[in-house]
Amino acid sequence: MTGKLQRVPSVAAEDNGPRLEVHNPANGLVVGTVPNLSADDVAKMAAELRAAQPEWEELGPHGRARHLLNWLDWVVDNEDHLFGLVHREAGKSWGDAALELMVCMEMINFVTKNGAAFVKDESRRIHGPASFNKRLLVHRKPYQLVGVITPWNYPLGMPMMDVPGALMAGAAVLSKPSEVTPLAWAEAVRAWNEEIGAPRVLGCATGAGDTGRAVVEEVDYIQFTGSTKTGRAIGVRAAERLIPASLELGGKDAMVVFDDADVDRAVAGAVWGGFFNAGQSCIAVERVYVQDGLYQQFVDKLVAEVEKLRVGHDAQGEFSADYGAMATDNQMAIVEGQVADARDKGARVLTGGKRSERGLFYPPTVLVDVDHTMSCMRDETFGPLLPVMRFSTADEAIDLANDSPYGLSGSVWTASVERGRQLGNRIDTGGMNVNNALANVFQIPLPMGGWKQSGLGHRFGGPNMVQKYMKQQAMVTERLRLKGEIYWYPYVLKKSRAVDRVLRLTGLHDWRRRLGRAPKPSS
Ligand code: ADP
């Protein structure tokens, strides 16, 4: 497959324009190329998607679910091909690449199973006797064109977290994968348009930041996952265009381990949460705080477990490496910079701490004697570092966890679930786990979103997964046919007084005011 040109991945891309090369960061080999779309190409694609959308909406939720399930079948039937692209374009271990299949299944199954209930009109009870004659409904209508812009860390899994929900809502979707890892997603979109007989309501705009900017110009709703810097720029543009934006941005998730925690589970959780996908997840464990009494035991066990991890780009289907390459030179530079800064300020590296000679591999690294003056404790790492810091009291741990501009998710580890919940509630993050790491992101019924600089809005959250891509129309109808409303024109003294009395009688909470007998304030 090396060097093979991808077929046109989108509904309208020109096949003879400029192209982008995609490299495997593990070995530098070219994996494929994709079109580098201009703003005009994106506008053309958006117009085609808009033209196809009404028919898609008309299909209804059951019809749409059929196409989504056909797509899932195609993904599974072609998994070696598709996840092989993920494996190579991101330089992942095969295990990390193969796990993205779970995301495809979970998301498509959830929206196809529940979509019909999520999109249908919803009746609401009236509030107050003045509305006795009203019937209330929330009617939902999809945004016609939803943009989904994603980063490079989960080439297939990341767009799959948002695109099925938007399609189930009845929207057309203009997706934009990262220029670093566009191949697997472009292939999945090609399959939607060419292999399964679905309406052409899913586009893939490949390219870099300028292509992403053009996507934001064209759509009616923008869902973005990526850096806080880019997310802020998109949020500003969305505000100017007055379109809604949902932004899932960076994180610096804290793991807080108390003396009474199950140390083996906590260590295993730290290893998984810190090093899964080479630490390149927004919800990765990025800093660990351990209480005095458990600190030394935790650190010893952590180092022993970390040293068992196998780093490499194993062959497809082999499962012989735990995590693979850093995706870009830039990511490698951030990790190296944070380790150098920590060392300069007095931190000790207990294991790891030096990149490998060949390929973009960085070993799992444990740092101790760290503090909040160091960039490894303040700035997003997105790499295989676990800095561990000691604390004494719960208040101190909460203060440390909250000493961050980010607020994505985190975890508390303790024998008492109740105590864990209460302490977790005091940490300012959009997600929290007790005795687990990363687990909240797999719970589709719960909202996933960041506080502070980690984002705006949320994905998932049960019905929200689909309904966020729909406008709401408040529909009011009359139960009985009356000639008019009593408060309509003309205002007549007797009638208006009667209305006023009824209003007070039914709308106030103490008898004196209900009967108009409350003392007037003295001026
Ligand atoms: P990273 O992928 O390193 O987190 P970004 O947040 O910049 O970095 O990128 C995430 C996605 O946003 C990518 O698909 C990228 O091409 C796209 N992108 C970058 N800049 C912009 C922009 N100004 N407007 C829209 N999309 C952008």
Side-chain angles (χ1 to χ4, degrees):
M1 188 81 196
T2 300
K4 184 181 167 193
L5 295 190
Q6 293 293 299
R7 293 173 66 190
V8 178
S10 52
V11 292
E14 297 292 341
D15 205 10
N16 51 7
R19 299 184 75 88
L20 286 174
E21 268 188 0
V22 179
H23 297 260
N24 181 336
N27 53 28
L29 295 175
V30 175
V31 187
T33 69
V34 288
N36 186 5
L37 296 194
S38 67
D40 284 349
D41 295 330
V42 172
K44 192 169 157 224
M45 192 183 287
E48 289 186 13
L49 291 164
R50 284 188 191 279
Q53 185 273 339
E55 181 203 344
W56 178 242
E57 185 180 344
E58 191 65 26
L59 261 184
H62 297 294
R64 296 196 289 269
R66 261 201 316 280
H67 290 295
L68 280 158
L69 288 171
N70 288 341
W71 196 33
L72 176 59
D73 290 346
W74 186 91
V75 167
V76 173
D77 295 348
N78 293 275
E79 62 180 321
D80 287 346
H81 166 52
L82 208 54
F83 295 94
L85 285 173
V86 172
H87 179 231
R88 289 194 302 281
E89 67 182 329
K92 293 190 187 224
S93 67
W94 176 249
D96 278 350
L99 257 188
E100 294 194 31
L101 174 63
M102 181 186 78
V103 182
C104 306
M105 294 196 288
E106 289 269 283
M107 302 303 151
I108 293 178
N109 285 335
F110 185 79
V111 300
T112 52
K113 206 178 275 177
N114 300 294
F118 294 162
V119 302
K120 73 171 200 255
D121 288 355
E122 204 182 302
S123 71
R124 295 277 166 89
R125 285 167 68 109
I126 57 163
H127 163 74
S131 303
F132 78 96
N133 195 32
K134 305 284 175 284
R135 201 187 292 276
L136 309 183
L137 280 178
V138 178
H139 172 68
R140 292 193 168 83
K141 190 165 175 58
Y143 289 100
Q144 188 173 52
L145 185 59
V146 168
V148 177
I149 300 180
T150 45
W152 42 259
N153 51 350
Y154 299 100
L156 204 60
M158 191 61 83
M160 278 291 182
M161 289 189 179
D162 302 301
V163 169
L167 288 172
M168 177 45 77
V173 178
L174 178 50
S175 63
K176 152 73 179 82
S178 167
E179 59 274 32
V180 179
T181 57
L183 298 174
W185 179 250
E187 181 60 359
V189 175
R190 188 196 63 76
W192 175 276
N193 290 299
E194 295 178 9
E195 304 285 350
I196 63 166
R200 294 166 81 83
V201 286
L202 177 56
C204 178
T206 48
D210 284 345
T211 310
R213 251 188 288 272
V215 168
V216 179
E217 294 304 315
E218 295 296 333
V219 296
D220 307 320
Y221 184 111
I222 186 72
Q223 165 68 44
F224 171 77
T225 308
S227 64
T228 298
K229 180 166 166 269
T230 302
R232 182 177 285 116
I234 289 175
V236 166
R237 188 58 195 134
E240 284 168 350
R241 290 199 56 228
L242 273 184
I243 60 165
S246 180
L247 310 171
E248 209 258 89
L249 310 177
K252 189 73 194 166
D253 289 3
M255 168 174 185
V256 180
V257 186
F258 287 93
D259 279 346
D260 63 347
D262 173 341
V263 67
D264 292 327
R265 183 174 169 86
V267 165
V271 173
W272 158 256
F275 300 115
F276 171 59
N277 203 39
Q280 299 174 117
S281 306
C282 49
I283 37 98
V285 174
E286 293 233 340
R287 34 189 188 126
V288 185
Y289 302 97
V290 187
Q291 201 164 17
D292 284 331
L294 197 66
Y295 177 81
Q296 200 52 53
Q297 195 190 353
F298 179 93
V299 169
D300 293 344
K301 287 194 174 210
L302 180 66
V303 171
E305 288 306 311
V306 163
E307 286 180 343
K308 291 182 195 159
L309 287 176
R310 301 153 306 167
V311 181
H313 183 55
D314 50 352
Q316 186 159 340
E318 208 172 58
F319 294 102
S320 62
D322 293 311
Y323 74 76
M326 308 297 303
T328 63
D329 291 319
N330 189 36
Q331 273 316 121
M332 179 62 89
I334 290 170
V335 172
E336 291 191 295
Q338 291 195 356
V339 172
D341 169 76
R343 276 194 167 117
D344 283 352
K345 291 177 176 152
R348 281 182 301 138
V349 177
L350 297 187
T351 182
K354 189 171 182 303
R355 70 176 283 182
S356 61
E357 309 269 303
R358 268 196 265 137
L360 281 179
F361 296 102
Y362 200 90
T365 297
V366 176
L367 294 162
V368 292
D369 300 342
V370 292
D371 61 44
H372 281 207
T373 65
M374 300 174 185
S375 66
C376 67
M377 297 299 276
R378 305 203 62 82
D379 304 325
E380 188 170 48
T381 309
F382 235 69
L385 299 188
L386 272 187
V388 188
M389 189 169 166
R390 170 198 291 270
F391 71 87
S392 301
T393 66
D395 284 349
E396 188 190 345
I398 303 296
D399 286 348
L400 286 166
N402 283 334
D403 179 26
S404 171
Y406 293 109
L408 195 52
S409 60
S411 58
V412 173
W413 302 70
T414 167
S416 160
V417 174
E418 188 47 39
R419 176 166 172 252
R421 281 215 328 247
Q422 284 174 8
L423 293 168
N425 288 157
R426 291 173 57 197
I427 300 178
D428 293 333
T429 52
M432 183 51 58
N433 304 280
V434 176
N435 296 325
N436 213 324
L438 271 56
N440 68 297
V441 78
F442 302 113
Q443 307 310 316
I444 310 175
L446 293 180
M448 189 232 163
W451 294 0
K452 303 197 272 187
Q453 304 280 299
S454 291
L456 266 186
H458 52 270
R459 53 158 63 102
F460 308 154
N464 176 69
M465 184 165 175
V466 174
Q467 291 174 353
K468 67 187 275 190
Y469 299 113
M470 306 181 86
K471 295 171 280 193
Q472 298 183 54
Q473 184 179 55
M475 174 58 69
V476 185
T477 56
E478 303 296 309
R479 284 175 191 274
L480 305 172
R481 273 203 227 168
L482 304 178
K483 278 212 172 330
E485 299 281 353
I486 194 162
Y487 50 83
W488 287 1
Y489 293 143
Y491 293 148
V492 179
L493 184 67
K494 227 165 127 185
K495 185 185 80 169
S496 296
R497 276 211 175 131
V499 171
D500 187 68
R501 280 203 196 100
V502 173
L503 263 184
R504 281 166 204 279
L505 199 62
T506 57
L508 295 175
H509 65 92
D510 72 301
W511 277 107
R512 281 201 310 172
R513 289 181 178 82
R514 278 180 180 166
L515 298 172
R517 303 235 173 98
K520 299 283 171 221
S522 52
S523 52

